Amino acid sequence: MTLTANWSYPTAIKFGAGRIAELPQACAQAGITNPLLVTDRGLAEMAITRDTLDLMQAAGLGRAVFAEVDANPTEVNLAAGIETYRAGGHDGVVAFGGGSGLDLGKMVAFMAGQTRPLWDFEDVGDWWMRADSAAIAPIVAVPTTAGTGSEVGRASVITNSETHVKKIIFHPRVLPSVVICDPELTVGMPQAITVGTGLDAFAHCVEAYASPHFHPMSQGIALEGMRLVKEYLPRAHEDGTDLEARAQMMAAALMGATAFQKGLGAIHAISHPIGAVYNTHHGTTNAVCMPAVLEMNASAIAEKFAGVAAYLGIEGGFDGFRHFVQEFNDRLGVPRRLADMGVGDDRIDELTAMALQDPSCGGNPVELTEENVAALLRACI
C-alpha cells in the first residue's frame, strides 16, 4: 500500500513521507506570505524545526518563530504569541508540533484580529458567533506527533492560568486551511511521547464510539481508528524508525479527532482538570483513566463494544475489550495509577467540580454526577 495521498476531508491534507518539502506551496494555497511558525519550547531547537525554518526562509517566507508555549498552553502564552504575531506583521500561522504547539498556533491566528477577550469564545452554545470571522488568519498545520489530531480540529484547549481550568475555544474557521502530515517528522519522538500521544488517539476513538449521540460517519471512523492504534502503536513504540507504523498512527490521530465530533466523555472530563492542576501528559492521563471509565460505563456500552472486540479480533466481548485495554497499557509501559504520575487524593473535591464543568461530560453514555465522578477519580488515583 502506498501511504501517500491528498485528502480533502475534513480539510486539505497532504499526507506522506517527505511532504514537509511542500510547506511553501501549502502557505501559498492558504494565502500566507509572511508566516509565524508557532511551536513549543521542546521542539524549538530540534533539527526538524530548524530544517522547516530553513525551508521557509529559502522560499522567501522568512524564519519567524514563536516557541514560548507550555505543555498545557495558557492565555499568558497566547498573549505573548499575539504580540509577536502583530509585531512581525504576519499574515498567517504555521502551527507546528504536538497538541500544545498546534492548539496555541491556531489560537494566535484566531485571536490576533479579535477585540473581545479569549474566554468570550468558549465552546458554549453559539458563543463562537461573537468572533469577527473575517479577522481570523489562515493556518497551515504540521503535526509532529500522532495523537491529539488538533491539526483537523475546530477548537483549541487553553488552560486558564489563574483558575487552572482547561477551556475549549471553538470556531469553525480555526480548522486549518492546509495540513501536512509527514510521518518522517515523528521518527525522533521518544517512546513515552509515542505511547502517550498514540493512546490519546485511541481514547478519542473509544469515547467517540461510546458516545450515545447519532453520527454514523464518526462511528465508522472511530472503529477503524481503534484498529490502526491496536496494530501499529506497538510497532512504532518498538521501532521508532518504522515509517509504515508512524504513518498509520498519523492517520489514526486524524481519525480520532474527526470522530470525536460525535462526542467525548468521562475520560476527557477528568483528564482535563488533572492535566490543568498537575500538568500531567494528556494522552497518558487518558490511558490511565480509561479502564476505570469503561467499567463505570459498562451498563450502557457493553453490547456496543462486544462488536468492537469482534472487529479488533479480541475474544470475550466487552470484558475482553476491557482486559485488552489494561494489557495494552501495561505492554506499552503506562502507569496503572495516577498517583504514579504525581496526582494526589487531597484535591478530589476540586477535581470533581472541574470535571463536571467540562464539555466532555455531555458525551458520556452514563450521566456523570458528583458521586460517580469522585468515585472514578479515587479508582484512578
Side-chain angles (χ1 to χ4, degrees):
M1 183 187 299
T2 301
L3 300 180
T4 300
N6 293 327
W7 299 326
S8 59
Y9 176 77
T11 189
I13 301 171
K14 301 176 185 295
F15 191 100
R19 300 201 70 175
I20 188 61
E22 299 175 41
L23 179 59
Q25 296 96 310
C27 287
Q29 183 178 340
I32 302 172
T33 60
N34 181 23
L36 175 65
L37 186 143
V38 178
T39 192
D40 62 69
R41 292 183 177 91
L43 275 173
E45 300 302 322
M46 292 185 66
I48 56 172
T49 309
R50 292 196 302 270
D51 291 347
T52 300
L53 291 169
D54 289 345
L55 186 66
M56 288 168 49
Q57 187 173 32
L61 296 171
R63 55 182 307 116
V65 60
F66 175 77
E68 299 303 308
V69 181
D70 295 327
N72 290 294
T74 69
E75 84 285 2
V76 176
N77 300 151
L78 178 58
I82 291 171
E83 183 178 355
T84 300
Y85 181 92
R86 291 172 175 167
H90 298 291
D91 60 357
V93 166
V94 173
F96 186 92
S100 55
L102 295 173
D103 276 6
L104 203 283
K106 287 157 55 177
M107 283 297 98
V108 169
F110 174 58
M111 287 298 298
Q114 304 302 321
T115 58
R116 299 181 69 136
L118 175 69
W119 311 125
D120 279 7
F121 306 113
E122 186 180 351
D123 188 16
V124 176
D126 62 356
W127 285 16
W128 64 271
M129 295 184 70
R130 297 169 171 177
D132 180 356
S133 296
I136 302 172
I139 304 160
V140 172
V142 183
T144 63
T145 65
T148 69
S150 183
E151 62 272 16
V152 292
R154 295 165 175 80
S156 291
V157 179
I158 304 295
T159 300
N160 185 312
S161 63
E162 296 181 0
T163 65
H164 303 291
V165 173
K166 288 191 174 186
K167 297 289 189 179
I168 298 172
I169 310 301
F170 167 85
H171 193 283
R173 290 197 59 190
V174 169
L175 178 69
S177 302
V178 186
V179 176
I180 295 178
C181 282
D182 184 341
E184 291 182 349
L185 299 179
T186 69
V187 165
M189 269 198 297
Q191 278 191 325
I193 302 301
T194 296
V195 169
T197 54
L199 291 174
D200 191 23
F202 190 67
H204 292 159
C205 293
V206 168
E207 291 215 286
Y209 200 86
S211 169
H213 302 314
F214 179 68
H215 199 320
M217 290 180 288
S218 287
Q219 198 84 342
I221 292 169
L223 184 61
E224 177 64 3
M226 283 186 263
R227 187 190 70 81
L228 292 181
V229 176
K230 176 179 179 286
E231 183 170 346
Y232 291 102
L233 181 55
R235 283 176 49 177
H237 172 252
E238 291 161 14
D239 178 6
T241 65
D242 184 337
L243 271 182
E244 180 186 11
R246 291 295 195 185
Q248 295 284 14
M249 284 305 302
M250 290 198 97
L254 294 171
M255 295 166 76
T258 302
F260 76 60
Q261 294 179 49
K262 181 173 178 278
L264 290 170
I267 295 173
H268 279 77
I270 65 174
S271 179
H272 284 153
I274 289 166
V277 172
Y278 291 96
N279 205 33
T280 58
H281 184 271
H282 174 66
T284 307
T285 308
N286 284 342
V288 175
C289 296
M290 188 180 298
V293 173
L294 288 171
E295 184 174 352
M296 183 189 73
N297 286 332
S299 62
I301 66 172
E303 182 176 351
K304 183 182 290 187
F305 273 79
V308 173
Y311 183 77
L312 298 183
I314 297 168
E315 296 182 355
F318 173 70
D319 286 338
F321 181 81
R322 278 200 306 120
H323 293 146
F324 160 77
V325 167
Q326 186 60 69
E327 290 167 1
F328 201 53
N329 282 356
D330 292 343
R331 175 182 174 186
L332 296 169
V334 174
R336 283 211 167 200
R337 317 292 299 183
L338 292 172
D340 297 327
M341 300 171 66
V343 179
D345 61 2
D346 56 329
R347 302 179 73 172
I348 285 180
D349 290 346
E350 177 186 358
L351 293 172
T352 297
M354 293 167 69
L356 289 170
Q357 296 174 27
D358 193 281
S360 302
C361 287
N364 200 68
V366 171
E367 182 182 1
L368 296 181
T369 65
E370 184 175 345
E371 182 178 3
N372 62 18
V373 169
L376 185 59
L377 284 163
R378 291 189 186 96
C380 294
I381 293 172

